[in-house]
Amino acid sequence: MKPQHTIVLLLFLATCLLRAQSQVPDYMQLVNNFNQGIENRSFKDMKRNAEDLIKYYSDDYAGYALNGYFLVCRGQNTNAEAQFQTMIQLNPFDAGAYGLMAMQHFIMKRYDDAEKYLHWSYQLNPADYTTTNLLKDTDVVIDMASRPDLEDFKKMVIQISQNYPVNEQAGPTLTQCYQMAKNGEACNGLQQAIGKLNTFKPHNPMFEVLGAYAKAYKDYMAYEPKKAIDGFDHFLKQSEPHKEQLYYLRAVSYFGKAYINAAEYQHNIALVNIKRALEEVKKMPVTTQLEAQFLQAKITYEKELQLFEDMSQTGYNLLAAADKLDDDYYRAHANNSIGSDLIFSILPADQAKGTEMLFTALQQATKVGDDELLNSIRGNYMVALYQRGRKEEVKTIFRELFTDLMNKKDYMGAEITANNMGFLMLYENEYAEAASYFKQAVDLTENFKQTLTPPQRMALMNNNSSSYYGLVMAYQKLGKTAELFETQDKNRSQFLKERLQPNATHATIKDAQQLLGTDDVLLYYTLAGPGEVIINAITQTTAKVYYSYPIDAWIGMKKQWTDRTKKVPPSYNSFMQGYANDIVDGNFVVYQTKEQNFNADDFKTQVDWTRQLLKSDDPAVVNARTAFLKHWYQVTLQPLEGLLATKKNIIISADKELNYLPFEAFIKPSGNYLIESHNVRYIPSVSVWKLLNNRNYPANRKPALVMGGALYQPSGNVKGTARGIDDFYAISESLNAKIERNNFNFKEELEKVGFGGASYLQGTLDEVLFVGELDPNIKVVTGKDMTESYLKQLDAKGELKNYSIFMISSHGFTTDIIPEFSGVMMTQPNAGDGNEDTFLLAPEIANLKLQADLAILSACDTGLGALVGGEGVNGLNSAFLVAGANNTLLSLWPVNDSSTALTMKNLFRLVLIEGLDSFTALNTIKRAMAMGEGGEELKNPMHWAPFLLSGR
């Protein structure tokens, strides 16, 4: 007797996700062999073929159905139940699966459940063969398990089958619609079928949920991302009451969302969803290939987010799952992930282990015959071979690998390979060859970018910017100034450039020179490595590249100042004096070169210390602050002192963490601040500077619109619930979904991170009231009128275009984890502000329609934001420039109330009354304060240095 209904199966959704392995037994052959075992009453054959189905097709329900059936025939009913539960989770669309569950319930004396599942089986497929196969299957169990009581089950089958006419198509339509969904095909009869199924008694509420899943999966397979994510969200919400039966489908739904997120370069959100997928699939009683696939995807997203420690741990988790599955494909992925992390260790033993794991991964990938995986491993193996001195072999592998990737149109794989080869040649001092590899990588990125949306381009550049840095380094060694500049410009503010003018061309060094005055010098900075600075200094008639890497000075600052946090015992002082010596995680380390003793974390620590010292008014930190500010001058400006002596105005385009420091506060060897001898301003890039200079606004605009003295709800009225990074990534997911729908009320998300009320700022009211006295045409908005809704009403009427200066004085904030949560607080009425959340955030600012020469946020930390590779700071500065401001005045740290009020009052007086431009006015104010004209207290840079002018 053949249990045919257990083999006339829907190939489950994971079939499209599963990877074919080499030398895998044929699926139908295993099923047929199982059936032959039934014919021969051979428990051995039934067991072996059912277990092979599970081993080789772990995400298809047939193996669990047949193994459960075998166990029932052996009388092992408890063990059978676990197999049948897995079967239903893997395929809740199949009538045969419900029939087997009905038999299991009957055997366990759960007669009501048995009857219910039989009804559901016939609702899905009322065909005569459903009855025939159920009866045949039952006869086999009666015979092999000696269960004569199942004769009553057969009677139940016959009785229930008579309730369903064989021409009823609702159930088969649901099944067919799912089959079509796997191919991305729409099924017009789905809703009618669900409606009909909902009329049947006993009602199966999961059928409607399954219909929602089929619809979402159709949109996913047709790659309609927005509809698919909405559909998956709808299914996940509907399935919540039934999740114990739907762990697998819920896991796939989260995976589908993660796949779409990653395709949109939203890797932080993809990581959240892949973790959710893993949580669901791990609730199943078995390890499936889907779990391994999720872990593999998680590694990819962690790599994109540079979460290397997490990536390594996930690699070990994947290796454990692969061993459970006995799967060399996933073993190869795991070994590749772990090995590629180890080869970059500073410890030779780790490097050797990493090389060994990569070699093992190569063997495993070759065994399973997966070329894409093999190429990925070969790219990492190149680095390992280079470390072993096998350089000619590395070049041979590169040529073969690069050609293969290009032929397969895997352009991003080719970009990574060329980038890696470029750095290897850079280490060999083969600069021309390195430049050629980096140029190939950059050209691939530039060409691929054209197929993407601006947000996707920004994410791509964040991932691929290392090849631009490598090319800058190679050009610096080759003395190619013009090419170096163009590469620098391509690697910053590209998203901002696209938002200002889509498809605008990149600036050249000639463009930069045409924008400069005779007394101007443009300094384009690139951080080639920790503490390694490349400076492109451009004037109207000259361009010269300077290189600054005072490694002894960097390590000296580390040992004199920042190493204090390590609390090294006095007995270790002599060891720590060595510039190649360090203590890492409590262990003595002697580096091969002293350059290894100053890494990216050390550099960021010195930036953080500098910022903390600049914020302080404690007299005890004066010596430390002076030491750091002198050090920064030595690194960034001293190499070109001769040039600076001939120019008055310094225009800076900073890079990475340099964006967080005020250059005008750096201290010269003479002991004077830079601001005492030079004017300083900032630009995002020359490409952006050029676009801003092409703007022409009416000369008859009103002087200013100023807003201040906002009224807030009590401070601490909201308690944030977000704790870990995953919580913040989940909030980003919610924000993105709202922004796509033009919904800018983020009250729920803001409260999750603890944004609520605040203390009143009297100084903000004083500032704007003073400004209002300078000219009767200045519009002053304060107190209860300073609402978000009122500002947007002005914008909707086009009134914001009427002012040459736009200023908001209030509490400000930025966050690098959620860049959208950068903004200012507006008045918070007791009854709320209609549909607004009372926070004016970066996405909303970018939607304003300004025609302002200057936008000012007189608030704390507004000049910060997320540092994005290939972009720079993505925050409020970009938002205001997109909105129409030509310049912004934002702050780098929390500002003193009185000194801020003084700065703003003087700025407006100089601009509106004395007619100075904002650049000259701001530098005049800073210089006066730094030189003591405002009193001894205001000489401290904490008062005058935080506000930076950026734009054109």
Side-chain angles (χ1 to χ4, degrees):
M1 300 291 181
K2 299 181 181 180
Q4 293 177 1
H5 63 278
T6 63
I7 64 173
V8 182
L9 305 174
L10 291 175
L11 288 181
F12 188 56
L13 62 97
T15 305
C16 67
L17 302 173
L18 292 178
R19 165 204 45 79
Q21 300 182 58
S22 59
Q23 301 178 340
V24 172
D26 180 75
Y27 177 88
M28 288 309 302
Q29 186 61 53
L30 292 174
V31 173
N32 291 334
N33 291 345
F34 181 90
N35 289 334
Q36 190 61 50
I38 293 176
E39 293 286 354
N40 298 331
R41 296 299 192 265
S42 170
F43 287 123
K44 180 179 178 181
D45 289 344
M46 293 168 67
K47 181 177 186 294
R48 182 179 66 250
N49 287 285
E51 290 178 349
D52 280 350
L53 273 169
I54 293 172
K55 176 180 178 180
Y56 294 108
Y57 301 91
S58 65
D59 288 54
D60 188 278
Y61 76 117
Y64 303 97
L66 298 185
N67 197 40
Y69 185 73
F70 153 74
L71 292 170
V72 165
C73 290
R74 287 294 302 265
Q76 299 176 11
N77 300 319
T78 302
N79 293 338
E81 188 147 37
Q83 298 294 302
F84 286 145
Q85 287 173 349
T86 303
M87 165 196 72
I88 283 289
Q89 287 202 15
L90 290 175
N91 191 0
F93 289 92
D94 185 68
Y98 284 94
L100 286 176
M101 278 298 294
M103 181 191 298
Q104 173 68 17
H105 283 306
F106 191 94
I107 289 171
M108 303 301 288
K109 303 186 185 305
R110 297 189 290 262
Y111 303 120
D112 290 343
D113 287 336
E115 184 174 346
K116 181 171 61 178
Y117 270 80
L118 275 177
H119 276 285
W120 293 345
S121 175
Y122 279 100
Q123 288 171 16
L124 279 173
N125 197 342
D128 286 339
Y129 69 78
T130 299
T131 304
T132 301
N133 290 328
L134 268 171
L135 294 176
K136 289 181 178 179
D137 289 347
T138 307
D139 284 337
V140 171
V141 176
I142 290 171
D143 180 25
M144 297 187 73
S146 300
R147 294 297 302 256
D149 58 310
L150 289 180
E151 292 291 346
D152 289 336
F153 178 69
K154 290 170 62 179
K155 294 177 183 178
M156 184 184 292
V157 169
I158 293 170
Q159 179 181 358
I160 290 175
S161 69
Q162 295 172 355
N163 295 330
Y164 297 92
V166 295
N167 61 351
E168 174 55 58
Q169 291 300 305
T173 297
L174 174 61
T175 299
Q176 181 186 17
C177 286
Y178 174 68
Q179 290 280 43
M180 295 172 67
K182 291 194 298 182
N183 297 319
E185 300 173 6
C187 182
N188 295 328
L190 178 60
Q191 288 307 119
Q192 295 91 324
I194 295 296
K196 180 66 174 177
L197 287 168
N198 283 338
T199 66
F200 292 148
K201 304 295 182 185
H203 174 240
N204 187 339
M206 282 206 304
F207 288 160
E208 185 167 359
V209 178
L210 294 175
Y213 177 84
K215 186 176 183 300
Y217 199 73
K218 184 275 294 181
D219 293 331
Y220 171 70
M221 291 303 296
Y223 200 71
E224 297 185 51
K226 185 176 181 300
K227 291 174 64 177
I229 285 182
D230 288 346
F232 283 138
D233 283 339
H234 178 62
F235 162 74
L236 288 165
K237 184 177 181 179
Q238 276 197 310
S239 64
E240 189 67 28
H242 317 288
K243 58 185 178 183
E244 291 185 0
Q245 290 79 41
L246 295 171
Y247 287 139
Y248 197 83
L249 297 191
R250 287 171 59 84
V252 172
S253 297
Y254 283 124
F255 173 76
K257 291 180 64 177
Y259 180 89
I260 293 169
N261 298 146
E264 299 291 328
Y265 293 90
Q266 298 171 337
H267 293 104
N268 57 340
I269 301 174
L271 183 59
V272 170
N273 280 313
I274 205 66
K275 286 182 177 180
R276 291 167 174 165
L278 280 164
E279 288 175 4
E280 296 290 338
V281 81
K282 284 180 177 179
K283 294 172 185 175
M284 295 184 63
V286 296
T287 300
T288 66
Q289 282 189 356
L290 203 63
E291 180 178 340
Q293 187 176 3
F294 292 170
L295 289 167
Q296 177 189 328
K298 185 169 180 276
I299 288 171
T300 300
Y301 307 150
E302 288 167 342
K303 181 178 180 181
E304 296 290 349
L305 295 167
Q306 299 183 12
L307 302 173
F308 298 117
E309 290 186 9
D310 293 347
M311 184 184 79
S312 182
Q313 181 56 55
T314 306
Y316 284 108
N317 294 341
L318 177 58
L319 190 60
D323 286 340
K324 286 182 182 179
L325 295 166
D326 192 19
D327 191 305
D328 280 335
Y329 174 82
Y330 290 112
R331 285 192 183 108
H333 266 291
N335 283 316
N336 183 38
S337 174
I338 302 167
S340 64
D341 180 57
L342 288 173
I343 60 174
F344 289 104
S345 168
I346 61 172
L347 302 177
D350 285 348
Q351 292 179 6
K353 182 179 178 182
T355 302
E356 181 182 349
M357 296 187 79
L358 289 172
F359 182 71
T360 300
L362 278 173
Q363 293 177 309
Q364 292 164 336
T366 301
K367 181 179 177 182
V368 300
D370 190 290
D371 290 340
E372 183 178 350
L373 173 58
L374 192 60
N375 283 340
S376 173
I377 299 168
R378 290 167 72 195
N380 292 322
Y381 194 55
M382 280 170 43
V383 179
L385 292 179
Y386 175 83
Q387 291 174 336
R388 296 291 179 269
R390 295 160 63 177
K391 296 170 186 176
E392 289 305 315
E393 189 175 349
V394 168
K395 290 183 179 181
T396 300
I397 292 175
F398 166 77
R399 285 190 291 268
E400 294 174 352
L401 178 57
F402 188 80
T403 300
D404 189 36
L405 290 168
M406 290 297 291
N407 288 337
K408 291 176 177 174
K409 299 183 178 181
D410 182 0
Y411 299 125
M412 288 300 93
E415 186 277 336
I416 293 170
T417 303
N419 179 57
N420 289 346
M421 195 63 189
F423 276 105
L424 296 182
M425 292 302 99
L426 202 62
Y427 301 149
E428 290 295 302
N429 299 326
E430 297 180 13
Y431 303 123
E433 193 168 359
S436 69
Y437 291 129
F438 287 130
K439 186 66 166 60
Q440 285 178 307
V442 166
D443 288 346
L444 285 167
T445 298
E446 289 293 320
N447 290 333
F448 189 70
K449 276 169 52 179
Q450 306 310 311
T451 66
L452 306 177
T453 64
Q456 291 171 341
R457 293 181 189 183
M458 181 172 69
L460 177 70
M461 286 297 296
N462 188 42
N463 297 335
N464 290 17
S465 62
S466 66
S467 57
Y468 293 79
Y469 283 103
L471 189 55
V472 167
M473 295 163 70
Y475 282 152
Q476 182 266 321
K477 296 296 184 183
L478 295 169
K480 294 187 174 184
T481 306
E483 292 89 340
L484 186 151
F485 170 80
E486 291 181 26
T487 306
Q488 286 179 307
D489 196 76
K490 287 179 180 178
N491 195 36
R492 65 189 64 191
S493 300
Q494 291 305 298
F495 179 51
L496 174 56
K497 177 175 74 74
E498 288 291 330
R499 296 173 80 190
L500 292 173
Q501 183 178 316
N503 302 315
T505 57
H506 296 294
T508 66
I509 204 165
K510 289 184 179 180
D511 292 326
Q513 290 175 324
Q514 290 173 359
L515 290 166
L516 293 170
T518 57
D519 211 18
D520 297 340
V521 58
L522 169 66
L523 303 182
Y524 242 52
Y525 285 89
T526 293
L527 285 172
E532 187 177 6
V533 184
I534 295 172
I535 313 160
N536 205 340
I538 303 165
T539 69
Q540 271 191 339
T541 57
T542 66
K544 183 178 179 180
V545 176
Y546 296 82
Y547 179 74
S548 175
Y549 187 35
I551 186 61
D552 287 346
W554 283 112
I555 297 176
M557 292 295 291
K558 175 181 175 182
K559 291 185 176 297
Q560 182 180 358
W561 299 105
T562 56
D563 268 353
R564 294 180 182 185
T565 59
K566 295 182 178 180
K567 299 180 180 179
V568 178
S571 57
Y572 295 160
N573 284 344
S574 59
F575 172 82
M576 289 296 287
Q577 292 309 304
Y579 273 32
N581 299 345
D582 202 359
I583 295 177
V584 179
D585 297 329
N587 299 314
F588 290 105
V589 175
V590 179
Y591 296 104
Q592 294 178 347
T593 66
K594 62 185 176 183
E595 285 77 10
Q596 292 177 316
N597 198 11
F598 192 77
N599 58 34
D601 287 338
D602 294 322
F603 179 79
K604 291 176 182 177
T605 297
Q606 295 206 13
V607 172
D608 290 342
W609 271 55
T610 305
R611 287 178 47 75
Q612 293 302 319
L613 292 166
L614 281 166
K615 298 176 187 180
S616 176
D617 60 357
D618 185 351
V621 307
V622 171
N623 289 338
R625 180 172 64 227
T626 299
F628 273 91
L629 294 178
K630 282 186 173 181
H631 173 70
W632 284 110
Y633 183 89
Q634 176 190 357
V635 171
T636 61
L637 294 165
Q638 193 165 317
L640 42 115
E641 271 191 331
L643 175 61
L644 295 181
T646 67
K647 301 296 177 184
K648 180 69 175 178
N649 303 318
I650 300 175
I651 302 164
I652 292 171
S653 179
D655 184 40
K656 296 182 179 176
E657 288 83 5
L658 291 179
N659 284 286
Y660 293 160
L661 299 175
F663 282 61
E664 52 265 57
F666 295 170
I667 297 178
K668 302 159 71 171
S670 64
N672 299 104
Y673 294 110
L674 178 65
I675 191 65
E676 296 183 52
S677 57
H678 291 81
N679 298 318
V680 181
R681 67 180 300 162
Y682 302 83
I683 62 170
S685 71
V686 170
S687 288
V688 170
W689 193 22
K690 180 181 176 182
L691 293 174
L692 295 177
N693 270 276
N694 289 334
R695 286 176 171 172
N696 292 302
Y697 291 155
N700 60 350
R701 289 164 295 159
K702 297 176 183 178
L705 166 63
V706 295
M707 309 181 80
L711 305 174
Y712 314 111
Q713 292 299 309
S715 180
N717 65 325
V718 170
K719 303 297 182 184
T721 58
R723 295 292 179 265
I725 190 69
D726 288 345
D727 291 336
F728 286 97
Y729 286 166
I731 292 169
S732 287
E733 179 183 24
S734 178
L735 283 176
N736 282 328
K738 284 187 173 181
I739 291 171
E740 286 182 3
R741 293 164 178 78
N742 290 317
N743 177 0
F744 294 100
N745 188 320
F746 303 140
K747 184 176 186 296
E748 179 182 352
E749 291 79 11
L750 286 161
E751 289 182 349
K752 286 181 179 178
V753 298
F755 284 13
S759 58
Y760 181 70
L761 297 175
Q762 179 65 38
T764 65
L765 179 62
D766 294 341
E767 284 177 39
V768 298
L769 290 179
F770 172 84
V771 170
E773 295 174 356
L774 297 175
D775 191 310
N777 291 314
I778 294 175
K779 185 178 181 67
V780 179
V781 181
T782 63
K784 62 182 178 59
D785 296 324
M786 187 187 155
T787 61
E788 185 180 3
S789 59
Y790 178 66
L791 176 63
K792 290 184 177 179
Q793 288 169 20
L794 294 178
D795 184 53
K797 293 187 291 187
E799 189 171 338
L800 295 186
K801 293 181 179 180
N802 297 334
Y803 301 97
S804 61
I805 299 178
F806 175 64
M807 172 182 172
I808 298 178
S809 183
S810 180
H811 282 289
F813 47 88
T814 57
T815 167
D816 56 350
I817 300 177
I818 309 176
E820 296 86 357
F821 274 3
S822 297
V824 289
M825 296 180 67
M826 306 297 283
T827 283
Q828 300 175 321
N830 291 332
D833 188 18
N835 293 324
E836 305 300 336
D837 54 32
T838 74
F839 290 83
L840 185 67
L841 301 179
E844 297 171 290
I845 291 171
N847 283 336
L848 298 177
K849 295 175 283 294
L850 304 175
Q851 290 189 351
D853 298 324
L854 178 64
I856 303 172
L857 287 187
S858 180
C860 301
D861 294 329
T862 52
L864 304 180
L867 281 177
V868 180
E871 186 64 22
V873 177
N874 181 33
L876 292 172
N877 181 62
S878 297
F880 270 111
L881 296 180
V882 171
N886 287 332
N887 292 283
T888 64
L889 188 60
L890 308 175
S891 66
L892 288 177
W893 57 77
V895 286
N896 179 280
D897 207 23
S898 59
S899 57
T900 299
L902 179 63
T903 298
M904 295 304 160
K905 290 175 181 178
N906 283 329
L907 178 67
F908 275 91
R909 178 179 56 80
L910 291 174
V911 172
L912 298 181
I913 303 302
E914 299 190 20
L916 297 183
D917 62 83
S918 55
F919 170 52
T920 304
L922 182 65
N923 279 275
T924 299
I925 295 166
K926 289 185 175 183
R927 185 172 300 114
M929 295 171 73
M931 297 179 71
E933 293 180 18
E936 192 65 26
E937 180 183 353
L938 294 183
K939 289 176 67 175
N940 187 332
M942 70 168 289
H943 296 290
W944 54 263
F947 284 105
L948 301 189
L949 186 73
S950 177
R952 77 176 193 185

